[in-house]
Amino acid sequence: MYSPLRKDFVTLTLGEQHSRSYTNGKHRRQSCWRKWKQLSRLQRSLILFLLAFLVICGIFSYPSLSEQWKALSDGSVKEDWVDVENEGLRPIHPGLIPKVVPGVVQEESPEPQRPNAPVLPKPQALKKPPSKRGPPALQKRGNISEWQVKDREEPANRREDEEEKETKTVISWRGAMIEAEQGTDPQPSARMKEAAGPAEGEGASPLPPVSVKPVDRAQAVREAFRHAWKGYKAYAWGHDELKPISKTHGEWFGLGLTLIDALDTMWILDLKEEFEEAKGWVEKELSFSKNVDVNLFESTIRILGGLLSTYHLSGDPLFLDKAKDIGLRLMPAFNTPSKIPYSDVNIGKGTAHPPRWTTDSTVAEVTSIQLEFRELSRLTQDPQYQKAVDEVMQQVHRLDGKYDGLVPMFINTNSGKFTHRGVFTLGARADSYYEYLLKQWLQGGKKEPELLEDYLQAVEGIKKNLLKQTSPSKLLFVGELSHGRLNPKMDHLVCFLPGTLALGAHNGLPADHMELAVQLMETCHQMYVQMETGLSPEIAHFNLQNDNGRDVDVKPADRHNLLRPETVESLFYMYRFTQDSKYRDWGWEILQSFNKYTRVPSGGYTSIGNVRDPMSPLPRDKMESFFLGETLKYLFLLFSDDPELISLDKYVFNTEAHPLPLWPSAS
Ligand code: DMJ
């Protein structure tokens, strides 16, 4: 409605032609009629005919248009699209979703298709508790109250349908599309089958056999390795680490760390072509004559250990030559007042030094280089390497400051004494000290009693001071003793312990070591299954207070997963020594979770920042060399049916999963 004033204003400003638009309806009708009358009869007939034609078309097309409209408005079309809840994100068109055929390991397509925009996955459905394994309260992933609410709200069959649908959905985040779970459900373990009682039809007339091809789990590991290698080859060849999302590399020492760490894995997985290519790089490109600072421990376990083990498996002297070269270049680290080595060595200049802020070295680092240097001495018949590392062990054996066989985390390179006494852990900075006590004893043919003595005393120290059970499910864990108080936290790194304890028991050490191994293995497994992604956090905190809560809690700063090997390493030992197929099933679940949340379509796997959030696991864009050196190797050996493939009665694995022979006199 216009006021008279406004109408005047418009009329005056726009002039005659435009003012017409603002005159009233009567005038408009009169002028239309006048125009119509001015048309010829033929023109009028044509217009009327056209109008009639349009009206008839409209009447005929109405039913189909209304159907389409109805479908759009009741949501049935939406079901063809991945449901995306986050604003601003586009759904993946169903055409991009690869089909997963149960029972068949999917071959990767040459270049995966990916949507232009990042898409978040639907939240993972909380899994129903597996029927039998473990204490009942442990079978849930995620928050218990969420479970109860869900149970009340949704009919069971609908949840099952949705779960199945979700496992086949392609999910992606932050530029990395994650492919649907591969393979099929794990085969039920012997124990699960036992607990489930006789199968349907058992005891009655047998049903005709159904031929279901079991998933070849070892083959699935080879496929995972190939996928990781594809990324490394494309974007990081000859460099230390793959950054799979940014499709580039990261450098630590600049020595092709991933390639060297992966050599014996390729040999064991029988990936000949890949092995030959990598060997070509070692032959032509690898040079240790570089002005670079390397960490003594890391380069010993990954490079020296990797080269020595590849030499043993392949028999190719190239690898021994390279091992000698790096071994010799690392020796300046031992030139310290105490003979306790410095942490860092410049392998080009032949100089060594501690970190800038301290003259301490880490106890685990100086006591977990022995297997490699001892083996180098044996192969070269040059005693200097063994002499240097044995000296360290002898000093640590005699040192004050242990607590029931447990060692502090730091040792001073000037005084040769422990520092920062009062904190005792089986995790970072102390872990592989315990592992190498046992393994050196085995390597040398069980002939060095101090090593065994220290190991046995340490296990007693763990039992006496560090073990505790959670309140809800009585899960046994190894906590940290900090100035007399037990801190209920456990690094994922501690999950090497079940495997080491089992290895000791297999070699005649007390049977209760094996019992402890079984219980700790269950705890490490729960550190995976109680997380929403099925992947363990870097550090778990255990519940000692609330009987009804969860056993495993995670602090925000500890939610990452670096693709670490310790749990699958222990699963491998546990399976070899018990043949209980549940350990294989647990390993299979872990591989599937890696495939679901860490696999990057263009090649490679990435560490993630949040194991609690399947919708946003936060890829960190880094594939650690130990994923190929250790994690995939242990998974493959876990699933391999050949117990002679790296027999544990012939080889001892170093802490980076490089197998070294038990010395001949040992057998
Ligand atoms: C590896 O380098 C070795 O296993 C080491 O003993 C601990 N840290 C990583 C894997 O987690």
Side-chain angles (χ1 to χ4, degrees):
M1 193 167 78
Y2 299 99
S3 69
L5 187 62
R6 186 177 171 104
K7 196 166 74 179
D8 290 349
F9 171 81
V10 172
T11 307
L12 285 171
T13 311
L14 296 177
E16 178 64 11
Q17 193 192 355
H18 291 97
S19 72
R20 270 193 211 126
S21 10
Y22 294 95
T23 53
N24 61 36
K26 195 177 163 198
H27 282 144
R28 218 167 25 236
R29 276 199 307 274
Q30 279 174 358
S31 94
C32 282
W33 180 243
R34 220 176 293 131
K35 287 220 168 96
W36 177 255
K37 286 296 240 179
Q38 285 164 1
L39 294 174
S40 71
R41 183 169 289 178
L42 181 66
Q43 285 172 317
R44 277 187 252 162
S45 310
L46 258 174
I47 289 170
L48 285 173
F49 175 76
L50 269 172
L51 281 174
F53 178 74
L54 286 173
V55 168
I56 290 163
C57 285
I59 288 167
F60 278 107
S61 57
Y62 175 76
S64 77
L65 279 174
S66 69
E67 271 303 298
Q68 284 179 34
W69 176 250
K70 200 168 154 250
L72 275 171
S73 52
D74 72 10
S76 56
V77 169
K78 267 189 256 160
E79 281 174 15
D80 285 351
W81 292 76
V82 175
D83 185 15
V84 176
E85 288 165 3
N86 293 52
E87 246 179 52
L89 299 176
R90 293 212 325 254
I92 305 169
H93 189 274
L96 295 178
I97 301 174
K99 291 210 165 43
V100 176
V101 184
V104 176
V105 175
Q106 300 292 299
E107 277 299 314
E108 66 198 49
S109 59
E111 194 46 52
Q113 295 163 298
R114 51 197 279 175
N116 295 330
V119 181
L120 293 174
K122 283 205 262 187
Q124 192 191 41
L126 294 169
K127 276 203 175 170
K128 283 185 300 172
S131 48
K132 298 299 169 275
R133 282 176 284 164
L138 297 179
Q139 310 304 335
K140 302 157 187 159
R141 275 193 197 165
N143 188 305
I144 284 172
S145 57
E146 278 171 26
W147 259 88
Q148 289 158 347
V149 170
K150 233 173 147 42
D151 274 352
R152 275 200 300 271
E153 286 174 357
E154 294 177 85
N157 54 355
R158 202 181 123 211
R159 276 208 318 274
E160 270 163 26
D161 288 347
E162 283 173 2
E163 262 178 33
E164 194 181 298
K165 214 189 287 171
E166 278 167 2
T167 55
K168 293 183 181 172
T169 300
V170 168
I171 50 171
S172 70
W173 27 256
R174 304 237 171 140
M177 190 173 77
I178 302 301
E179 290 155 28
E181 197 170 302
Q182 294 192 343
T184 59
D185 291 339
Q187 294 152 349
S189 68
R191 187 181 282 196
M192 280 166 75
K193 281 188 219 154
E194 207 178 279
E200 206 183 324
E202 240 174 88
S205 57
L207 293 169
V210 184
S211 131
V212 179
K213 196 178 157 224
V215 181
D216 186 339
R217 294 174 175 184
Q219 191 58 26
V221 180
R222 295 176 89 235
E223 190 280 330
F225 185 97
R226 280 209 170 103
H227 183 78
W229 194 246
K230 175 178 137 186
Y232 178 74
K233 225 177 125 178
Y235 310 118
W237 185 251
H239 296 283
D240 284 342
E241 284 149 352
L242 168 68
K243 289 158 82 72
I245 292 165
S246 51
K247 298 184 179 173
T248 180
H249 63 266
E251 220 65 289
W252 189 6
F253 308 144
L255 297 172
L257 213 53
T258 294
L259 188 148
I260 299 175
D261 228 356
L263 283 167
D264 58 1
T265 306
M266 291 183 265
W267 186 268
I268 292 167
L269 270 59
D270 198 24
L271 296 169
K272 292 199 181 74
E273 215 176 282
E274 291 84 350
F275 178 82
E276 285 304 323
E277 258 180 311
K279 182 184 142 187
W281 183 87
V282 172
E283 198 168 20
K284 295 188 193 79
E285 310 286 337
L286 178 60
S287 167
F288 296 124
S289 175
K290 270 191 169 176
N291 179 11
V292 60
D293 276 350
V294 302
N295 175 283
L296 170 69
F297 163 73
E298 298 292 356
S299 49
T300 299
I301 65 169
R302 301 186 199 213
I303 300 175
L304 179 57
L307 291 167
L308 287 174
S309 123
T310 308
Y311 166 67
H312 279 295
L313 297 175
S314 70
D316 192 323
L318 163 72
F319 299 107
L320 180 57
D321 289 346
K322 292 289 178 187
K324 280 190 230 167
D325 189 8
I326 186 69
L328 200 58
R329 287 170 187 275
L330 292 173
M331 288 305 284
F334 296 90
N335 295 333
T336 69
S338 66
K339 305 273 185 275
I340 299 296
Y342 288 133
S343 59
D344 298 284
V345 193
N346 187 303
I347 53 171
K349 290 186 188 159
T351 55
H353 59 87
R356 234 170 261 138
W357 58 92
T358 176
T359 50
D360 288 350
S361 283
T362 295
V363 170
E365 292 195 357
V366 301
T367 56
S368 312
I369 49 179
Q370 279 66 15
L371 291 177
E372 300 81 357
F373 279 98
R374 282 156 54 113
E375 178 61 10
L376 186 59
S377 271
R378 192 180 72 90
L379 288 172
T380 59
Q381 293 296 296
D382 179 349
Q384 66 164 320
Y385 309 107
Q386 174 155 9
K387 193 162 168 277
V389 293
D390 280 354
E391 166 73 27
V392 178
M393 291 314 293
Q394 283 150 18
Q395 284 198 43
V396 172
H397 174 69
R398 293 192 298 263
L399 264 190
D400 283 342
K402 287 187 210 137
Y403 189 76
D404 293 332
L406 305 174
V407 289
M409 297 188 291
F410 297 98
I411 186 164
N412 190 270
T413 50
N414 291 326
S415 68
K417 302 247 165 75
F418 289 129
T419 63
H420 302 86
R421 301 177 190 202
V423 179
F424 300 94
T425 174
L426 260 281
R429 299 187 183 279
D431 49 356
S432 42
Y433 160 73
Y434 304 100
E435 177 188 350
Y436 268 36
L437 286 175
L438 177 73
K439 288 182 172 178
Q440 286 176 82
W441 180 68
L442 296 176
Q443 179 191 42
K446 306 181 181 176
K447 287 182 184 140
E448 295 149 288
E450 288 95 358
L451 292 167
L452 178 62
E453 195 185 304
D454 287 352
Y455 178 73
L456 289 173
Q457 208 192 343
V459 176
E460 290 312 302
I462 294 167
K463 290 199 295 199
K464 185 169 161 204
N465 302 293
L466 303 183
L467 294 183
K468 195 105 187 165
Q469 286 185 321
T470 60
S471 293
S473 314
K474 312 295 170 233
L475 270 190
L476 195 70
F477 65 91
V478 185
E480 286 184 8
L481 193 64
S482 180
H483 305 283
R485 287 195 55 201
L486 191 81
N487 189 350
K489 74 188 260 261
M490 181 168 137
D491 294 353
H492 182 271
L493 289 168
V494 182
C495 290
F496 81 92
L497 189 58
T500 299
L501 288 168
L503 180 65
H506 174 72
N507 280 282
L509 301 190
D512 71 343
H513 288 202
M514 190 63 186
E515 286 158 26
L516 182 54
V518 169
Q519 292 190 68
L520 293 176
M521 192 74 261
E522 171 69 37
T523 303
C524 291
H525 168 57
Q526 291 299 331
M527 283 164 63
Y528 282 73
V529 298
Q530 294 197 17
M531 296 300 113
E532 287 79 352
T533 55
L535 292 172
S536 167
E538 177 72 358
I539 301 174
H541 288 257
F542 292 96
N543 179 357
L544 300 180
Q545 262 92 45
N546 181 358
D547 277 0
N548 301 315
R550 294 153 56 109
D551 294 280
V552 185
D553 197 13
V554 190
K555 301 251 153 94
D558 306 330
R559 288 177 175 171
H560 47 292
N561 179 296
L562 305 184
L563 313 169
R564 283 196 192 276
E566 290 76 16
T567 295
V568 295
E569 168 186 352
S570 284
L571 289 172
F572 156 67
Y573 285 103
M574 296 303 286
Y575 180 74
R576 278 270 171 111
F577 298 137
T578 66
Q579 297 291 299
D580 186 339
S581 61
K582 80 176 178 190
Y583 297 123
R584 281 182 156 180
D585 296 340
W586 295 356
W588 180 238
E589 285 165 15
I590 292 172
L591 178 62
Q592 287 178 306
S593 294
F594 279 138
N595 275 332
K596 194 163 180 182
Y597 294 105
T598 73
R599 183 173 164 119
V600 180
S602 46
Y605 288 74
T606 177
S607 48
I608 56 172
N610 190 356
V611 296
R612 299 292 317 271
D613 190 351
M615 288 196 39
S616 183
L618 305 180
R620 287 184 151 198
D621 195 17
K622 185 168 175 175
M623 185 174 79
E624 301 276 353
S625 80
F626 51 69
F627 184 63
L628 300 191
E630 297 193 68
T631 310
L632 293 180
K633 185 188 290 156
Y634 282 128
L635 279 167
F636 183 81
L637 290 171
L638 170 66
F639 301 139
S640 162
D641 286 323
D642 180 4
E644 284 305 304
L645 183 59
I646 318 294
S647 157
L648 290 170
D649 296 318
K650 293 183 183 137
Y651 288 93
V652 61
F653 285 90
N654 86 340
T655 193
E656 189 75 6
H658 298 303
L660 299 173
L662 296 175
W663 292 348
S665 58
S667 47

